[in-house]
Amino acid sequence: MNHQNKMGTMPISKLIWNISLPIIASMLVQALYNIVDSIFVSHISESALAAVSLAFPAQQLIIAVAAGTGVGISSLLGRALGAGNQRRANEVARHGIFLAIASAVVFCILALCFSRIFFSFQTDVAEIVEQGNLYLRIVCCGSAGIFLEITFERLLQSTGRSILSMYTQGVGTILNIILDPVFIFVLDMGVTGAAVATIIGQTCSAVLAIYLCRTKNKEIQICFRGFRPNWRLIGNIYIIGIPSIIMMAISSVMVFVMNKILIALHSAKETAATMFGVYFKLNSFVFMPIFGLNTGIISIISYNYGARKRKRMLETIHRSTLYAVIVMTIGTIIFEAFPHVLLGMFQANDTMLQVGVPALRIIGLSFPIAGMSILLSGAFQAVGKSVYSMIASIVRQLLLLLPAALVLALIGRSVGNDDLVWWSFPISETISFFITLLFYRRMRRTIIDTLPEEKN
């Protein structure tokens, strides 16, 4: 099959960008939407922006489950296609769709039961709690769109059709951007309108992804006639996917706890937490190219792992890591040079600028080393060693970042320097990178180097 020849024979540099660029483009469009969405919300009020910022960990958890499950699907699907096992590939695809629908139902129930408690635990400002509760319930109850969108995009990417996944996400995001001002301002729905626009966009993306997968993705045949869940296969998907879910969910926990630390110990309190939410919107625009590159190399490495092509696996890892450093260095330069401009897009007042400018400059120093860690983590996931990525992420965000943030926030409070808390990011990224390197050496020795040298 043509896409198999491409994944197994195209020169690696060309293949990386051939597979990753459409994914990167779609993720950049999504990141642009995240920023534009918050810009629109910031025009409602600071409390509205705070509500959306505090909702971010829960939204991130949804994406964590969807994308983490997608990692498991992509890895198993890539290996099945690389080994020429069509029946296995079809089964993986069917179970991925089943898991997407089941996950959406679970999140809807959780939001209806616990959304208000989630916000009340973070802040006692009634207006923020009320706005956030409405926003999050709508997002979670309509989450079938994002789950199905990500699942079908992974099916397209696993067969080398990442350009089609770019179309699906691009259409939904553009629709979101168009509908946001309509629902927020014209219909005067406030943050509720922002949530409705998001759900409509994600649902349209999912519908398009399903259509493209059924009409263009001939390598995978999806039929649910006589379908029964294969719990062993589901277990295999989650053996690979759960570490990725945990990694991204840890990020949600980190944001949640960081917000608590900032509200409790930072002199700017809710404004500092709001700024931290704004940082994550801006951060996504820098990190999305790396996540797109990461998604692309998972498909490439897992395919060539199934095909037992050692040299192509190593070249993919080395080249993609170099590309990640280059991209993230550009991100660092932007954060260092233009923090006032970046924060100004969100109607930042003097207090937010005072908090945010040094924060962006300090956190931005950690970007290049974070990029290398992300790409190496993708290599772990491609060969079924997601647990390495999970451990490194736990160490970085729970065992290093949060304790360092707490200690530095306490020191900063005592000496009158709130900016110290942001140094927890470069510190944790640097230490976790060396842990990731140790895991990479072990993976290479025990997995990659055991593969036979392919003949020229």
Side-chain angles (χ1 to χ4, degrees):
M1 291 181 281
N2 289 336
H3 80 281
Q4 288 185 332
N5 291 336
K6 176 174 72 173
M7 298 287 274
T9 62
M10 182 181 285
I12 289 299
S13 288
K14 183 178 179 180
L15 180 62
I16 289 174
W17 294 115
N18 183 274
I19 296 295
S20 299
L21 273 179
I23 305 173
I24 292 171
S26 63
M27 287 188 167
L28 281 174
V29 172
Q30 180 62 41
L32 177 63
Y33 165 71
N34 289 335
I35 292 175
V36 173
D37 182 55
S38 292
I39 290 174
F40 284 133
V41 171
S42 71
H43 281 82
I44 302 173
S45 65
E46 185 175 336
S47 65
L49 183 58
V52 173
S53 297
L54 294 180
F56 182 74
Q59 290 180 277
Q60 198 172 30
L61 184 60
I62 293 174
I63 295 173
V65 174
T69 305
V71 168
I73 295 168
S74 295
S75 182
L76 291 182
L77 195 58
R79 281 186 259 174
L81 292 171
N85 191 337
Q86 183 67 59
R87 182 177 179 181
R88 172 76 167 178
N90 293 341
E91 280 297 297
V92 172
R94 292 202 302 172
H95 280 78
I97 298 167
F98 167 75
L99 292 174
I101 296 171
S103 299
V105 172
V106 170
F107 272 95
C108 181
I109 295 171
L110 289 175
L112 293 175
C113 294
F114 302 110
S115 176
R116 186 176 295 275
I117 296 172
F118 172 77
F119 283 96
S120 297
F121 189 72
Q122 294 185 84
T123 179
D124 57 2
V125 179
E127 186 178 5
I128 295 177
V129 172
E130 187 62 31
Q131 290 177 312
N133 179 52
L134 289 172
Y135 178 86
L136 189 57
R137 283 188 173 185
I138 294 172
V139 168
C140 289
C141 290
S143 62
I146 189 66
F147 276 106
L148 289 172
E149 175 194 344
I150 290 177
T151 298
F152 278 92
E153 283 177 356
R154 293 299 183 270
L155 299 185
L156 292 167
Q157 292 161 9
S158 295
T159 58
R161 292 180 170 86
S162 54
I163 187 69
L164 297 181
S165 69
M166 179 185 72
Y167 298 153
T168 64
Q169 197 169 92
V171 166
T173 300
I174 292 170
L175 187 59
N176 284 350
I177 294 173
I178 294 172
L179 292 179
D180 252 341
V182 174
F183 283 101
I184 294 173
F185 303 118
V186 177
L187 300 179
D188 197 25
M189 295 175 65
V191 294
T192 302
V196 172
T198 296
I199 293 307
I200 292 174
Q202 291 172 347
T203 302
C204 290
S205 290
V207 171
L208 180 58
I210 293 169
Y211 171 77
L212 290 174
C213 200
R214 291 185 65 85
T215 59
K216 304 293 185 181
N217 212 4
K218 301 301 183 182
E219 288 74 26
I220 301 174
Q221 291 81 46
I222 300 172
C223 177
F224 279 91
R225 183 178 301 169
F227 173 78
R228 291 184 179 181
N230 180 333
W231 300 110
R232 183 173 182 179
L233 179 55
I234 290 174
N236 289 335
I237 290 173
Y238 280 124
I239 285 173
I240 299 170
I242 280 180
S244 297
I245 293 172
I246 291 175
M247 279 192 298
M248 287 179 273
I250 286 171
S251 183
S252 297
V253 173
M254 181 274 290
V255 173
F256 181 82
V257 176
M258 183 65 78
N259 284 337
K260 294 287 290 181
I261 291 173
L262 293 173
I263 291 173
L265 299 176
H266 200 286
S267 61
K269 296 188 178 298
E270 274 83 6
T271 299
T274 301
M275 193 291 305
F276 190 56
V278 167
Y279 155 72
F280 262 93
K281 301 291 184 177
L282 296 169
N283 154 296
S284 67
F285 205 75
V286 177
F287 276 77
M288 282 303 181
I290 305 306
F291 292 138
L293 194 60
N294 187 59
T295 301
I297 71 160
I298 288 175
S299 298
I300 296 170
I301 296 172
S302 60
Y303 178 92
N304 285 283
Y305 181 43
R308 322 307 282 174
K309 295 188 176 183
R310 174 174 174 254
K311 287 183 179 179
R312 291 179 64 81
M313 293 174 67
L314 288 173
E315 188 177 354
T316 301
I317 294 170
H318 297 159
R319 289 184 178 273
S320 62
T321 303
L322 174 62
Y323 300 149
V325 172
I326 294 171
V327 171
M328 296 299 267
T329 300
I330 295 172
T332 297
I333 293 171
I334 293 172
F335 269 54
E336 296 297 323
F338 307 108
H340 290 86
V341 176
L342 296 174
L343 293 170
M345 295 188 298
F346 299 88
Q347 305 299 304
N349 55 30
D350 290 341
T351 303
M352 187 178 291
L353 288 173
Q354 185 179 1
V355 173
V357 169
L360 295 187
R361 284 176 170 161
I362 293 169
I363 297 175
L365 297 173
S366 64
F367 288 172
I369 201 165
M372 290 188 286
S373 296
I374 291 170
L375 267 295
L376 291 179
S377 293
F380 300 155
Q381 294 159 10
V383 299
K385 289 294 183 180
S386 296
V387 67
Y388 291 169
S389 303
M390 180 185 70
I391 293 172
S393 185
I394 290 173
V395 170
R396 177 173 64 89
Q397 299 191 76
L398 296 186
L399 301 184
L400 291 175
L401 178 60
L402 291 179
L406 178 59
V407 171
L408 291 173
L410 288 169
I411 295 173
R413 187 177 187 180
S414 65
V415 301
N417 185 358
D418 287 323
D419 297 341
L420 289 179
V421 67
W422 310 118
W423 284 102
S424 56
F425 284 85
I427 292 170
S428 60
E429 290 288 0
T430 301
I431 297 174
S432 66
F433 170 69
F434 287 106
I435 294 172
T436 302
L437 274 182
L438 291 176
F439 284 139
Y440 173 68
R441 290 184 61 186
R442 178 176 177 82
M443 181 200 73
R444 177 164 179 175
R445 185 176 66 253
T446 59
I447 296 179
I448 298 179
D449 288 347
T450 62
L451 299 176
E453 292 277 0
E454 57 265 39
K455 297 179 180 178
N456 294 324

